[in-house]
Amino acid sequence: MSTLTLLLLLAGTLLVTALALYALLLWRRVWAQRRNLAQAESQRRERLAGDLQVLASSLLDSQLPLIEGAIRIKVLLDNYDTALSQDSRCQVFHLLFEATAQVPTHANWKALDPGERRQHEKRFNELELQHKAAARTAARWLLDEGLKHPGN
């Protein structure tokens, strides 16, 4: 074997080794990023589960208005676990959300004239009377079973 062939073989080996080390470095970054994303997702789910527990407990203890609690629970459930959100035992939250979707919020609520506000409040009271038991049952189920499911 000639010197040139040996030098080319050595250069090729060094190049392949350098590329392999660089590929390993890049894969380590990918693995670390995946691990960080999984950890962030786990923390997000834990935070949402905790928020859902607080809301469900507050709804059951009447510390939170039923309509407001149902809306907040529905939105958090959608972000926490769509399968759990679509569970038939949680449908009351969707129903109340949809029944109040057209109601203005925040500054728009304050801008309503008192008559319009009273009409909405009357509708809230009707909805609460009609769905209070189902919402409380759903909140209790979330606390006792829904949020404790192994997939959640």
Side-chain angles (χ1 to χ4, degrees):
M1 232 189 250
S2 72
T3 307
L4 179 61
T5 305
L6 285 174
L7 287 175
L8 289 175
L9 186 61
L10 181 61
T13 303
L14 287 174
L15 182 62
V16 168
T17 303
L19 289 173
L21 289 173
Y22 183 63
L24 179 63
L25 173 72
L26 292 177
W27 273 111
R28 288 177 59 116
R29 288 181 185 170
V30 168
W31 294 326
Q33 186 177 23
R34 285 182 181 170
R35 194 171 44 252
N36 290 340
L37 286 173
Q39 184 179 10
E41 176 63 15
S42 176
Q43 289 172 347
R44 183 188 75 83
R45 287 184 55 79
E46 285 178 27
R47 188 182 68 251
L48 286 171
D51 292 347
L52 282 164
Q53 289 172 340
V54 167
L55 287 172
S57 294
S58 296
L59 193 140
L60 288 171
D61 295 341
S62 300
Q63 295 176 350
L64 182 65
L66 179 82
I67 302 298
E68 181 182 347
I71 291 169
R72 289 177 181 227
I73 288 171
K74 184 263 185 212
V75 170
L76 286 181
L77 275 174
D78 287 349
N79 286 289
Y80 177 69
D81 183 341
T82 54
L84 180 61
S85 180
Q86 295 302 316
D87 188 286
S88 62
R89 292 165 283 203
C90 294
Q91 288 310 299
V92 67
F93 301 130
H94 289 269
L95 187 142
L96 291 169
F97 179 87
E98 290 166 13
T100 59
Q102 80 290 351
V103 176
T105 60
H106 310 296
N108 292 334
W109 173 261
K110 291 177 183 176
L112 289 176
D113 69 70
E116 285 181 289
R117 228 182 281 150
R118 278 192 297 276
Q119 285 179 331
H120 287 301
E121 289 169 347
K122 181 180 180 222
R123 179 70 178 134
F124 294 162
N125 289 333
E126 291 168 358
L127 288 169
E128 185 168 341
L129 287 173
Q130 189 177 4
H131 299 288
K132 185 174 186 174
R136 291 176 61 77
T137 299
R140 173 55 49 210
W141 176 79
L142 274 176
L143 288 172
D144 293 345
E145 296 176 44
L147 295 172
K148 293 183 178 18
H149 189 271
N152 297 332

